Amino acid sequence: GAGVSQSPSNKVTEKGKDVELRCDPISGHTALYWYRQSLGQGLEFLIYFQGNSAPDKSGLPSDRFSAERTGGSVSTLTIQRTQQEDSAVYLCASSSGAKTLTGELFFGEGSRLTVL
Amino acid sequence: DQQVKQNSPSLSVQEGRISILNCDYTNSMFDYFLWYKKYPAEGPTFLISISSIKDKNEDGRFTVFLNKSAKHLSLHIVPSQPGDSAVYFCAASANRDDKIIFGKGTRLHILP
């Protein structure tokens, strides 16, 4: 597809289980971001991949969260031993990187995670 | 530590009038600012941006003003239309290579 694709769109899991969220960025985009939006909150930065550089993981809330980006394209966000406070919409965005004129991010529709 | 602050969680404006959304930032290294619009159940979409070398950027009904000394920017929408009802996020980055930090958003209601 032409846009950023995320899966699953909805995920309900039990506390303590691990979850994986997937992001397919726009083809050719070198920058990929993960954000999350909890109920009533803004967009919280989680992690940022730019080309072959080491990812900026400064926003990951705990060591239960990790992300990887394989081959500079698809990214997976993994949450281990999920807690109820992990419930949120997880948004992925990509951009064409440093040389864009606008620095515009293109967002997916998000993966809504509910931890029971 | 909120580096990008949107202190008004919501704003209601009459259709046809001007909507003014405000944003403050604390990081003096930020040199690029963006506004995004978000409808329910959709991802945010880019609206307008401004570089720190400018103090104003205009695109149709949307104008962003930047006051670097006050570390403040605002988005003006005029005239406001019903389709403008959405959540508006202010965002900033230290340079175009760096991560983009978002504020908490302001929900704009356009009243008929």
Side-chain angles (χ1 to χ4, degrees), chain B residues 1 4 6 8 37 57 59:
Chain B
D1 176 31
V4 178
Q6 293 178 258
S8 298
K37 175 179 178 179
N57 189 26
D59 183 2

Side-chain angles (χ1 to χ4, degrees), chain B residues 21-32:
Chain B
L21 298 121
N22 292 303
C23 178
D24 298 290
Y25 60 97
T26 58
N27 188 341
S28 57
M29 298 301 293
F30 285 149
D31 61 0
Y32 191 63

